[in-house]
Amino acid sequence: MKLAVVFPGIGYHTDKPLLYYSRKMARQLGFEVIEVPYGGFSAKKDLRENADRMEAAFQHAFDQTEEILKGVSWEAYESLIFISKSIGTAAAARYADVHGLDAHHIYYTPVEGTFSYMKEKSGIAFTGTKDQWVDYRLVVDKCREKHVPCYVTENANHSIETGDILVDLKNLDKIMGETWDYMQNVRWHGDVAPALTSR
């Protein structure tokens, strides 16, 4: 059995492009999918500009994650993927760390708090050069330290969008292509370590 768990961001729910298509891919590849529908956060601007509120939001997301996933029998699954976005990347990385899960991660726009729990060679990451929540260079450096390939989209914000719809669709196609390849490797081989790269 194979399982994909989807951890959304604040305001970036599972019906938005990155998570919508990645969870559909997971289902097509035979993964059972569980979504983690946490909520009740402060306004995004308040969090972005206040480190204490951001830390409280991390804890809030993690506490809800613990409650939502408490009934999952992890030992029943031979392949496990955590698909996460923004603050969800921190919740996913911490949850896997605390519970000792050998999860493969797809980190969409990881935030700074993620790297305290990210394991080496644990997945792939995506970020944009105009991410408002975290300096993309920090993301690239931290991913390099963890041997996690990081794909960088030029002029893209925290949603990995540029504002030019045609450019965004081309970028989404590339991101989903990398996501699909990674999921297939996990599905067929269980352990993957793609080469470090950027886009």
Side-chain angles (χ1 to χ4, degrees):
M1 294 174 66
K2 299 176 288 292
L3 176 66
V5 184
V6 184
F7 300 77
I10 299 173
Y12 200 100
H13 305 299
T14 57
D15 59 349
K16 292 198 173 183
L18 296 169
L19 299 182
Y20 175 81
Y21 287 109
S22 57
R23 66 187 167 92
K24 287 188 66 126
M25 287 178 181
R27 286 197 177 101
Q28 186 168 328
L29 289 170
F31 286 82
E32 179 184 340
V33 176
I34 296 176
E35 298 179 26
V36 183
Y38 42 63
F41 298 101
S42 300
K44 289 192 285 185
K45 182 179 179 181
D46 292 341
L47 297 177
R48 195 165 62 232
E49 297 175 356
N50 187 299
D52 290 339
R53 289 179 181 173
M54 177 66 83
E55 182 59 35
F58 288 156
Q59 187 62 47
H60 184 59
F62 181 73
D63 290 344
Q64 290 185 72
T65 297
E66 287 277 24
E67 181 64 24
I68 292 166
L69 297 179
K70 67 181 181 181
V72 178
S73 299
W74 301 107
E75 65 278 1
Y77 300 96
E78 71 272 13
S79 294
L80 180 61
I81 292 180
F82 281 2
I83 304 166
S84 55
K85 174 71 175 75
S86 186
I87 197 173
T89 64
R94 183 178 175 187
Y95 189 90
D97 181 62
V98 168
H99 291 273
L101 298 176
D102 186 21
H104 301 278
H105 291 262
I106 299 169
Y107 301 103
Y108 293 123
T109 63
V111 292
E112 189 169 354
T114 305
F115 300 105
S116 297
Y117 302 100
M118 181 186 282
K119 296 178 182 178
E120 288 200 3
K121 300 180 180 179
S122 59
I124 57 174
F126 300 86
T127 192
T129 61
K130 293 187 176 179
D131 192 318
Q132 317 93 295
W133 283 72
V134 61
D135 188 324
Y136 83 95
R137 289 164 293 195
L138 181 145
V139 174
V140 171
D141 289 344
K142 291 293 186 180
C143 285
R144 185 177 292 116
E145 289 175 12
K146 300 287 187 177
H147 303 286
V148 169
C150 184
Y151 299 86
V152 180
T153 301
E154 292 293 326
N155 299 314
N157 62 17
H158 195 57
S159 296
I160 317 187
E161 295 179 352
T162 66
D164 184 322
I165 185 60
L166 294 181
V167 171
D168 290 343
L169 288 172
K170 290 178 182 178
N171 289 336
L172 182 64
D173 179 61
K174 293 176 184 177
I175 292 166
M176 289 299 108
E178 298 293 349
T179 298
W180 175 263
D181 290 346
Y182 184 79
M183 284 187 185
Q184 279 198 311
N185 281 328
V186 172
R187 177 193 182 196
W188 292 112
H189 305 295
D191 187 24
V192 290
L196 289 172
T197 185
S198 63
R199 169 165 291 165

